[in-house]
Amino acid sequence: MNNPKDNQEANSTLDIEAIQAKWLPIWEKKQPFNSSNDPDDERPRIYVLDMFSYPSGDLHMGHAEAFAIGDVVSRYYLPY
């Protein structure tokens, strides 16, 4: 079982600015979140749509399961 103190320590050592400094230039160059009609753009044409959420009661693991696959598929096709 995780110790809450371990989680606090992990969070305090996470350098958000360093992570952002690493990935922003890559995202700026590759534009992975932008679509293009340019015929010279060699990126694969992928469209991933999750079902939109709607209030159907309390959140439960089924919500996480339903949205996780779209996230996994989208990240698989990111060009980096």
Side-chain angles (χ1 to χ4, degrees):
M1 177 168 270
N2 287 342
N3 182 343
K5 186 175 181 179
D6 292 339
N7 291 338
Q8 290 172 351
E9 184 178 321
N11 289 336
S12 68
T13 60
L14 185 62
D15 188 354
I16 300 296
E17 290 179 8
I19 294 169
Q20 186 176 16
K22 173 187 175 183
W23 285 105
L24 278 179
I26 294 170
W27 291 342
E28 296 269 333
K29 180 181 177 188
K30 296 188 179 250
Q31 297 290 310
F33 306 107
N34 293 342
S35 62
S36 171
N37 288 326
D38 182 358
D40 294 330
D41 187 351
E42 297 179 0
R43 297 179 298 170
R45 305 286 194 242
I46 302 297
Y47 181 75
V48 179
L49 176 66
D50 274 327
M51 294 298 294
F52 297 110
S53 58
Y54 58 93
S56 63
D58 294 334
L59 291 177
H60 54 81
M61 284 306 296
H63 290 96
E65 179 184 9
F67 291 107
I69 190 64
D71 188 53
V72 169
V73 170
S74 297
R75 290 173 189 268
Y76 174 80
Y77 284 104
L78 284 177
Y80 54 79

Coordinates of all heavy atoms in Angstrom, one line a residue:
M1 N 0.8 -1.2 0.0 CA 0.0 0.0 0.0 C 0.9 1.2 0.0 O 1.9 1.3 0.6 CB -0.9 0.0 1.2 CG -1.8 1.2 1.3 SD -3.1 1.0 2.5 CE -4.4 0.4 1.5
N2 N 0.5 2.3 -0.7 CA 1.2 3.5 -0.8 C 1.2 4.3 0.5 O 0.1 4.4 1.1 CB 0.7 4.4 -1.9 CG 1.1 3.9 -3.3 OD1 2.0 3.0 -3.4 ND2 0.4 4.3 -4.3
N3 N 2.3 4.8 0.9 CA 2.3 5.7 2.0 C 2.1 7.1 1.5 O 2.7 7.6 0.6 CB 3.7 5.6 2.7 CG 3.9 6.4 3.9 OD1 3.1 7.3 4.2 ND2 4.9 6.1 4.7
P4 N 1.1 7.9 2.1 CA 0.8 9.2 1.7 C 2.1 10.1 1.7 O 2.2 11.0 0.9 CB -0.2 9.7 2.7 CG -0.9 8.5 3.2 CD 0.2 7.4 3.2
K5 N 3.0 9.9 2.7 CA 4.2 10.7 2.7 C 5.0 10.4 1.5 O 5.6 11.4 1.0 CB 5.0 10.3 4.0 CG 6.2 11.2 4.2 CD 6.9 10.8 5.5 CE 8.1 11.7 5.7 NZ 8.7 11.4 7.0
D6 N 5.1 9.2 0.9 CA 5.8 8.9 -0.3 C 5.2 9.7 -1.5 O 5.9 10.2 -2.3 CB 5.8 7.4 -0.6 CG 6.6 6.6 0.4 OD1 7.4 7.2 1.0 OD2 6.3 5.4 0.4
N7 N 3.9 9.8 -1.5 CA 3.2 10.6 -2.6 C 3.6 12.1 -2.5 O 3.8 12.7 -3.5 CB 1.7 10.4 -2.5 CG 1.3 9.0 -2.9 OD1 2.0 8.3 -3.6 ND2 0.1 8.6 -2.5
Q8 N 3.6 12.6 -1.3 CA 4.0 14.0 -1.1 C 5.4 14.2 -1.6 O 5.7 15.2 -2.2 CB 3.8 14.4 0.3 CG 2.4 14.5 0.8 CD 2.2 14.7 2.3 OE1 3.2 14.7 3.0 NE2 1.0 15.0 2.7
E9 N 6.3 13.3 -1.3 CA 7.7 13.5 -1.7 C 7.8 13.4 -3.2 O 8.5 14.2 -3.8 CB 8.5 12.4 -1.0 CG 10.0 12.5 -1.3 CD 10.8 11.4 -0.6 OE1 10.5 11.1 0.5 OE2 11.8 10.9 -1.2
A10 N 7.1 12.5 -3.8 CA 7.2 12.4 -5.3 C 6.6 13.6 -5.9 O 7.2 14.1 -6.9 CB 6.4 11.2 -5.7
N11 N 5.5 14.2 -5.4 CA 5.0 15.4 -5.9 C 5.9 16.6 -5.8 O 6.0 17.5 -6.6 CB 3.6 15.7 -5.3 CG 2.6 14.7 -5.8 OD1 2.7 14.2 -6.9 ND2 1.5 14.6 -5.0
S12 N 6.6 16.6 -4.7 CA 7.5 17.8 -4.4 C 8.7 17.7 -5.3 O 9.4 18.7 -5.5 CB 7.9 17.8 -2.9 OG 8.7 16.7 -2.6
T13 N 9.1 16.6 -5.8 CA 10.3 16.5 -6.7 C 9.9 16.5 -8.2 O 10.8 16.5 -9.0 CB 11.0 15.1 -6.4 OG1 10.2 14.0 -6.7 CG2 11.5 15.1 -5.0
L14 N 8.7 16.6 -8.5 CA 8.2 16.7 -9.9 C 8.5 18.2 -10.4 O 7.9 19.1 -9.9 CB 6.8 16.4 -10.0 CG 6.2 16.3 -11.4 CD1 6.8 15.2 -12.2 CD2 4.7 16.1 -11.3
D15 N 9.4 18.3 -11.3 CA 9.7 19.6 -11.9 C 8.9 19.9 -13.1 O 9.3 19.6 -14.2 CB 11.2 19.7 -12.2 CG 11.7 21.0 -12.5 OD1 10.9 22.0 -12.7 OD2 12.9 21.2 -12.7
I16 N 7.8 20.6 -12.9 CA 6.8 20.9 -14.0 C 7.5 21.8 -15.0 O 7.3 21.6 -16.2 CB 5.5 21.5 -13.4 CG1 4.8 20.6 -12.4 CG2 4.6 21.9 -14.6 CD1 4.3 19.3 -13.0
E17 N 8.2 22.7 -14.6 CA 8.8 23.7 -15.5 C 9.8 23.0 -16.4 O 9.9 23.3 -17.6 CB 9.5 24.8 -14.8 CG 8.5 25.8 -14.2 CD 9.1 26.9 -13.4 OE1 10.3 27.1 -13.5 OE2 8.4 27.6 -12.7
A18 N 10.6 22.0 -15.9 CA 11.6 21.3 -16.7 C 10.8 20.4 -17.7 O 11.3 20.3 -18.9 CB 12.5 20.4 -15.8
I19 N 9.7 19.8 -17.3 CA 9.0 18.9 -18.2 C 8.4 19.8 -19.3 O 8.4 19.4 -20.5 CB 7.9 18.2 -17.5 CG1 8.5 17.2 -16.5 CG2 6.9 17.5 -18.4 CD1 7.5 16.6 -15.5
Q20 N 7.8 20.9 -19.0 CA 7.2 21.8 -20.0 C 8.3 22.3 -20.9 O 8.1 22.4 -22.1 CB 6.6 23.0 -19.3 CG 5.8 23.9 -20.2 CD 5.1 25.0 -19.5 OE1 5.3 25.3 -18.3 NE2 4.2 25.6 -20.1
A21 N 9.5 22.7 -20.4 CA 10.6 23.2 -21.3 C 11.1 22.1 -22.2 O 11.5 22.4 -23.4 CB 11.7 23.6 -20.4
K22 N 11.0 20.8 -21.8 CA 11.4 19.7 -22.7 C 10.4 19.5 -23.8 O 10.7 19.4 -25.0 CB 11.5 18.4 -21.9 CG 11.8 17.2 -22.8 CD 11.7 16.0 -22.0 CE 11.9 14.8 -23.0 NZ 11.8 13.5 -22.3
W23 N 9.1 19.5 -23.5 CA 8.0 19.1 -24.5 C 7.5 20.2 -25.3 O 7.1 19.9 -26.5 CB 6.9 18.3 -23.7 CG 7.4 17.0 -23.4 CD1 7.7 16.5 -22.1 CD2 7.6 15.8 -24.2 NE1 8.1 15.2 -22.2 CE2 8.0 14.8 -23.5 CE3 7.4 15.7 -25.6 CZ2 8.3 13.5 -24.0 CZ3 7.7 14.4 -26.2 CH2 8.2 13.4 -25.3
L24 N 7.4 21.4 -24.8 CA 6.8 22.5 -25.6 C 7.5 22.7 -27.0 O 6.8 22.8 -28.0 CB 6.7 23.8 -24.8 CG 5.6 23.9 -23.9 CD1 5.6 25.2 -23.1 CD2 4.2 23.8 -24.6
P25 N 8.8 22.7 -27.0 CA 9.5 22.9 -28.3 C 9.2 21.7 -29.3 O 9.0 21.9 -30.5 CB 11.0 22.9 -28.0 CG 11.1 23.3 -26.6 CD 9.8 22.8 -26.0
I26 N 9.1 20.5 -28.8 CA 8.7 19.4 -29.6 C 7.3 19.5 -30.1 O 7.0 19.3 -31.3 CB 8.9 18.0 -28.8 CG1 10.4 17.8 -28.5 CG2 8.3 16.9 -29.6 CD1 10.6 16.7 -27.5
W27 N 6.4 19.9 -29.3 CA 5.0 20.1 -29.7 C 4.9 21.2 -30.7 O 4.1 21.1 -31.6 CB 4.1 20.3 -28.5 CG 3.9 19.1 -27.6 CD1 4.2 17.8 -28.0 CD2 3.5 19.1 -26.3 NE1 3.9 17.0 -26.9 CE2 3.4 17.7 -25.9 CE3 3.1 20.1 -25.4 CZ2 3.1 17.4 -24.6 CZ3 2.7 19.7 -24.1 CH2 2.7 18.3 -23.7
E28 N 5.6 22.3 -30.5 CA 5.6 23.4 -31.4 C 6.1 23.0 -32.8 O 5.5 23.4 -33.8 CB 6.5 24.5 -30.9 CG 6.1 25.1 -29.6 CD 5.1 26.3 -29.8 OE1 5.2 27.0 -30.8 OE2 4.3 26.6 -28.8
K29 N 7.1 22.2 -32.8 CA 7.7 21.7 -34.1 C 6.7 20.7 -34.8 O 6.5 20.9 -36.0 CB 9.0 21.1 -33.9 CG 9.7 20.6 -35.1 CD 11.0 20.0 -34.9 CE 11.6 19.4 -36.1 NZ 12.8 18.6 -35.9
K30 N 6.3 19.7 -34.1 CA 5.5 18.6 -34.7 C 4.0 18.9 -34.9 O 3.3 18.3 -35.6 CB 5.7 17.3 -34.0 CG 7.2 16.9 -34.0 CD 7.3 15.5 -33.4 CE 8.7 15.1 -33.5 NZ 8.9 14.0 -34.5
Q31 N 3.5 19.9 -34.1 CA 2.1 20.2 -34.1 C 1.2 19.0 -34.0 O 0.3 18.8 -34.8 CB 1.8 21.0 -35.4 CG 2.5 22.3 -35.5 CD 2.0 23.4 -34.5 OE1 0.8 23.6 -34.4 NE2 2.9 24.0 -33.8
P32 N 1.4 18.1 -33.0 CA 0.6 16.9 -32.9 C -0.8 17.0 -32.7 O -1.6 16.1 -33.0 CB 1.3 16.1 -31.8 CG 1.8 17.2 -30.9 CD 2.3 18.3 -31.8
F33 N -1.3 18.2 -32.2 CA -2.7 18.4 -31.9 C -3.4 19.2 -32.9 O -4.6 19.5 -32.7 CB -2.8 19.0 -30.5 CG -2.1 18.3 -29.4 CD1 -0.9 18.8 -28.9 CD2 -2.5 17.1 -29.0 CE1 -0.2 18.1 -27.9 CE2 -1.8 16.3 -28.0 CZ -0.7 16.9 -27.5
N34 N -2.7 19.5 -34.0 CA -3.4 20.3 -35.1 C -3.6 19.4 -36.3 O -2.8 18.6 -36.7 CB -2.5 21.5 -35.5 CG -2.3 22.5 -34.4 OD1 -3.1 22.6 -33.5 ND2 -1.3 23.3 -34.5
S35 N -4.7 19.7 -36.9 CA -5.0 18.9 -38.2 C -4.5 19.8 -39.4 O -4.2 20.9 -39.2 CB -6.5 18.7 -38.3 OG -7.2 19.9 -38.3
S36 N -4.4 19.1 -40.5 CA -3.9 19.8 -41.7 C -4.6 19.2 -42.9 O -4.8 18.0 -43.0 CB -2.4 19.6 -41.8 OG -1.9 20.0 -43.0
N37 N -4.8 20.1 -43.9 CA -5.3 19.7 -45.2 C -4.2 19.7 -46.2 O -4.4 19.5 -47.4 CB -6.4 20.6 -45.7 CG -7.7 20.4 -44.9 OD1 -8.0 19.3 -44.5 ND2 -8.4 21.4 -44.7
D38 N -2.9 19.9 -45.7 CA -1.8 20.0 -46.6 C -1.5 18.6 -47.2 O -1.2 17.6 -46.4 CB -0.6 20.5 -45.8 CG 0.7 20.6 -46.7 OD1 0.7 20.3 -47.9 OD2 1.7 21.1 -46.1
P39 N -1.5 18.4 -48.5 CA -1.2 17.1 -49.0 C 0.2 16.6 -48.8 O 0.4 15.4 -48.8 CB -1.5 17.2 -50.5 CG -1.6 18.7 -50.8 CD -1.8 19.4 -49.5
D40 N 1.1 17.5 -48.4 CA 2.5 17.1 -48.1 C 2.6 16.6 -46.7 O 3.7 16.1 -46.3 CB 3.5 18.2 -48.4 CG 3.5 18.5 -49.9 OD1 3.3 17.6 -50.7 OD2 3.8 19.7 -50.3
D41 N 1.6 16.8 -45.9 CA 1.7 16.4 -44.5 C 1.5 14.9 -44.4 O 0.5 14.3 -44.8 CB 0.5 17.0 -43.7 CG 0.6 16.8 -42.2 OD1 1.4 16.0 -41.7 OD2 -0.2 17.4 -41.5
E42 N 2.6 14.2 -44.0 CA 2.7 12.8 -44.0 C 2.1 12.1 -42.8 O 2.1 10.9 -42.7 CB 4.1 12.3 -44.2 CG 4.6 12.8 -45.6 CD 6.1 12.4 -45.8 OE1 6.7 11.7 -44.9 OE2 6.6 12.7 -46.9
R43 N 1.6 12.9 -41.8 CA 1.1 12.3 -40.6 C -0.2 11.5 -41.0 O -1.0 11.9 -41.8 CB 0.7 13.4 -39.6 CG 1.9 14.1 -39.1 CD 1.6 15.2 -38.1 NE 0.7 16.2 -38.7 CZ 0.0 17.1 -38.1 NH1 0.2 17.2 -36.8 NH2 -0.8 18.0 -38.7
P44 N -0.4 10.4 -40.3 CA -1.6 9.6 -40.6 C -2.9 10.4 -40.2 O -2.9 11.2 -39.2 CB -1.5 8.3 -39.7 CG -0.5 8.7 -38.6 CD 0.4 9.8 -39.2
R45 N -3.9 10.2 -40.9 CA -5.2 10.9 -40.6 C -6.0 10.0 -39.6 O -6.4 8.9 -40.0 CB -6.0 11.1 -41.9 CG -5.3 11.8 -43.0 CD -5.2 13.3 -42.6 NE -4.8 14.0 -43.8 CZ -3.7 14.7 -43.9 NH1 -2.9 14.7 -42.9 NH2 -3.5 15.4 -45.0
I46 N -6.1 10.4 -38.4 CA -6.7 9.7 -37.3 C -7.8 10.5 -36.7 O -7.5 11.7 -36.4 CB -5.7 9.2 -36.3 CG1 -4.6 8.4 -36.9 CG2 -6.4 8.4 -35.1 CD1 -5.0 7.1 -37.5
Y47 N -8.9 10.0 -36.4 CA -10.0 10.7 -35.7 C -10.5 9.8 -34.6 O -11.0 8.7 -34.9 CB -11.1 11.0 -36.7 CG -12.3 11.7 -36.1 CD1 -12.2 13.1 -35.8 CD2 -13.5 11.1 -35.8 CE1 -13.2 13.8 -35.3 CE2 -14.6 11.8 -35.3 CZ -14.4 13.1 -35.0 OH -15.5 13.8 -34.5
V48 N -10.3 10.2 -33.4 CA -10.7 9.4 -32.2 C -11.8 10.2 -31.5 O -11.5 11.4 -31.0 CB -9.5 9.1 -31.3 CG1 -10.0 8.3 -30.1 CG2 -8.5 8.3 -32.1
L49 N -12.9 9.7 -31.3 CA -14.0 10.4 -30.6 C -14.5 9.5 -29.5 O -15.0 8.4 -29.7 CB -15.2 10.8 -31.5 CG -16.4 11.4 -30.9 CD1 -16.0 12.8 -30.3 CD2 -17.5 11.5 -31.9
D50 N -14.5 10.0 -28.3 CA -15.1 9.3 -27.1 C -16.5 9.8 -27.0 O -16.9 10.8 -27.5 CB -14.4 9.7 -25.8 CG -13.2 8.8 -25.5 OD1 -13.2 7.6 -25.9 OD2 -12.2 9.3 -25.0
M51 N -17.3 8.9 -26.4 CA -18.7 9.4 -26.1 C -18.6 10.5 -25.1 O -17.8 10.5 -24.2 CB -19.5 8.2 -25.5 CG -19.7 7.1 -26.5 SD -20.6 7.5 -27.9 CE -22.2 7.9 -27.2
F52 N -19.5 11.5 -25.3 CA -19.5 12.6 -24.4 C -20.1 12.2 -23.1 O -21.1 11.4 -23.1 CB -20.3 13.8 -25.0 CG -19.7 14.3 -26.3 CD1 -20.2 14.1 -27.5 CD2 -18.4 15.0 -26.2 CE1 -19.7 14.6 -28.7 CE2 -17.8 15.5 -27.4 CZ -18.4 15.3 -28.6
S53 N -19.6 12.7 -22.0 CA -20.1 12.3 -20.7 C -21.5 13.0 -20.5 O -21.8 14.0 -21.1 CB -19.2 12.8 -19.6 OG -19.0 14.2 -19.7
Y54 N -22.3 12.3 -19.6 CA -23.5 12.9 -19.3 C -23.8 12.4 -17.8 O -23.3 11.4 -17.4 CB -24.6 12.4 -20.2 CG -24.8 10.9 -20.3 CD1 -25.7 10.2 -19.5 CD2 -24.0 10.2 -21.2 CE1 -25.8 8.8 -19.6 CE2 -24.1 8.8 -21.3 CZ -25.0 8.1 -20.5 OH -25.1 6.8 -20.6
P55 N -24.6 13.2 -17.1 CA -24.8 12.8 -15.7 C -25.8 11.6 -15.6 O -26.9 11.7 -16.0 CB -25.5 14.1 -15.1 CG -26.0 14.8 -16.3 CD -25.2 14.4 -17.5
S56 N -25.2 10.5 -15.1 CA -26.0 9.3 -15.0 C -25.8 8.7 -13.6 O -26.0 7.5 -13.4 CB -25.7 8.3 -16.0 OG -24.3 7.9 -15.9
G57 N -25.5 9.5 -12.6 CA -25.2 9.1 -11.3 C -23.8 9.4 -10.8 O -23.1 10.1 -11.5
D58 N -23.4 8.7 -9.8 CA -22.1 8.9 -9.2 C -21.0 8.3 -10.2 O -21.3 7.4 -10.9 CB -21.9 8.2 -7.9 CG -22.8 8.9 -6.8 OD1 -23.1 10.1 -7.0 OD2 -23.2 8.2 -5.8
L59 N -19.8 8.9 -10.2 CA -18.7 8.4 -10.9 C -18.4 7.0 -10.4 O -18.4 6.8 -9.2 CB -17.5 9.3 -10.9 CG -17.7 10.6 -11.6 CD1 -16.4 11.5 -11.3 CD2 -17.9 10.5 -13.1
H60 N -18.0 6.1 -11.3 CA -17.6 4.8 -10.9 C -16.5 4.3 -11.9 O -16.2 5.0 -12.9 CB -18.8 3.8 -10.9 CG -19.6 3.8 -12.1 ND1 -19.2 3.1 -13.3 CD2 -20.7 4.4 -12.5 CE1 -20.1 3.3 -14.2 NE2 -21.0 4.1 -13.8
M61 N -15.9 3.1 -11.7 CA -14.8 2.6 -12.5 C -15.3 2.5 -14.0 O -14.4 2.5 -14.9 CB -14.3 1.3 -12.0 CG -13.5 1.5 -10.8 SD -12.1 2.7 -11.0 CE -11.1 1.9 -12.3
G62 N -16.5 2.3 -14.3 CA -16.9 2.2 -15.7 C -16.7 3.5 -16.5 O -16.4 3.4 -17.6
H63 N -16.8 4.6 -15.8 CA -16.5 5.9 -16.5 C -15.0 5.9 -16.9 O -14.7 6.2 -18.0 CB -16.7 7.1 -15.6 CG -18.2 7.3 -15.3 ND1 -18.8 6.8 -14.2 CD2 -19.1 8.0 -16.0 CE1 -20.1 7.1 -14.2 NE2 -20.3 7.9 -15.3
A64 N -14.1 5.5 -16.0 CA -12.7 5.5 -16.3 C -12.4 4.5 -17.4 O -11.6 4.8 -18.3 CB -11.9 5.1 -15.0
E65 N -13.0 3.3 -17.3 CA -12.8 2.3 -18.4 C -13.2 2.8 -19.7 O -12.5 2.6 -20.7 CB -13.5 1.0 -18.0 CG -13.4 -0.1 -19.0 CD -14.2 -1.3 -18.6 OE1 -15.1 -1.2 -17.7 OE2 -14.0 -2.3 -19.3
A66 N -14.4 3.5 -19.8 CA -14.9 3.9 -21.1 C -14.1 5.0 -21.7 O -13.9 5.0 -22.9 CB -16.3 4.4 -20.8
F67 N -13.5 5.9 -20.9 CA -12.7 7.0 -21.5 C -11.2 6.6 -21.6 O -10.5 7.3 -22.4 CB -12.8 8.2 -20.6 CG -14.2 8.8 -20.7 CD1 -15.1 8.7 -19.7 CD2 -14.6 9.5 -21.9 CE1 -16.4 9.2 -19.8 CE2 -15.9 10.0 -22.0 CZ -16.8 9.9 -20.9
A68 N -10.7 5.6 -21.0 CA -9.3 5.3 -21.0 C -8.9 4.8 -22.4 O -7.8 5.2 -22.9 CB -9.0 4.2 -20.0
I69 N -9.8 4.0 -23.1 CA -9.4 3.5 -24.4 C -9.2 4.6 -25.4 O -8.2 4.5 -26.2 CB -10.3 2.4 -24.9 CG1 -9.8 1.7 -26.1 CG2 -11.7 3.0 -25.2 CD1 -8.5 0.9 -25.8
G70 N -10.0 5.6 -25.4 CA -9.9 6.7 -26.4 C -8.6 7.5 -26.1 O -7.9 7.9 -27.1
D71 N -8.2 7.6 -24.9 CA -7.0 8.3 -24.5 C -5.8 7.5 -25.0 O -4.8 8.0 -25.5 CB -6.9 8.5 -23.0 CG -5.7 9.4 -22.6 OD1 -5.6 10.5 -23.1 OD2 -5.0 8.9 -21.7
V72 N -5.8 6.2 -24.8 CA -4.7 5.3 -25.2 C -4.5 5.3 -26.7 O -3.4 5.4 -27.2 CB -5.0 3.8 -24.7 CG1 -4.0 2.9 -25.3 CG2 -4.9 3.8 -23.2
V73 N -5.6 5.2 -27.4 CA -5.5 5.2 -28.9 C -5.0 6.5 -29.4 O -4.1 6.5 -30.3 CB -6.9 4.8 -29.5 CG1 -6.9 5.0 -31.0 CG2 -7.3 3.4 -29.2
S74 N -5.5 7.6 -28.8 CA -5.0 8.9 -29.3 C -3.5 9.1 -29.0 O -2.8 9.6 -29.9 CB -5.8 10.0 -28.5 OG -7.1 10.0 -28.8
R75 N -3.1 8.7 -27.9 CA -1.7 8.8 -27.5 C -0.8 7.9 -28.4 O 0.3 8.2 -28.7 CB -1.4 8.6 -26.1 CG -2.0 9.7 -25.2 CD -1.9 9.4 -23.7 NE -2.7 10.3 -22.9 CZ -2.1 11.4 -22.4 NH1 -0.8 11.7 -22.6 NH2 -2.8 12.2 -21.7
Y76 N -1.3 6.7 -28.8 CA -0.6 5.8 -29.6 C -0.2 6.5 -30.9 O 0.9 6.3 -31.5 CB -1.4 4.5 -29.8 CG -0.7 3.6 -30.8 CD1 0.3 2.7 -30.3 CD2 -1.1 3.5 -32.1 CE1 0.9 1.8 -31.2 CE2 -0.5 2.6 -33.0 CZ 0.5 1.8 -32.5 OH 1.1 0.9 -33.4
Y77 N -1.1 7.2 -31.5 CA -0.9 7.8 -32.8 C -0.2 9.2 -32.8 O 0.0 9.8 -33.8 CB -2.2 8.0 -33.5 CG -2.7 6.6 -34.1 CD1 -3.7 5.9 -33.4 CD2 -2.1 6.1 -35.2 CE1 -4.1 4.7 -33.9 CE2 -2.5 4.9 -35.7 CZ -3.5 4.2 -35.0 OH -3.9 3.0 -35.5
L78 N 0.1 9.7 -31.6 CA 0.8 11.0 -31.5 C 2.2 10.8 -32.2 O 2.9 9.8 -31.9 CB 1.0 11.5 -30.1 CG -0.3 12.1 -29.5 CD1 0.0 12.5 -28.1 CD2 -0.7 13.4 -30.3
P79 N 2.6 11.8 -33.0 CA 3.8 11.6 -33.8 C 5.1 11.9 -33.1 O 5.9 12.7 -33.6 CB 3.6 12.5 -35.0 CG 2.8 13.6 -34.4 CD 1.9 13.0 -33.4
Y80 N 5.3 11.4 -31.9 CA 6.6 11.6 -31.2 C 7.0 10.4 -30.4 O 6.3 9.5 -30.3 CB 6.7 12.9 -30.4 CG 5.6 13.1 -29.3 CD1 5.6 12.4 -28.1 CD2 4.5 13.9 -29.6 CE1 4.6 12.6 -27.2 CE2 3.5 14.0 -28.7 CZ 3.6 13.4 -27.5 OH 2.6 13.5 -26.6

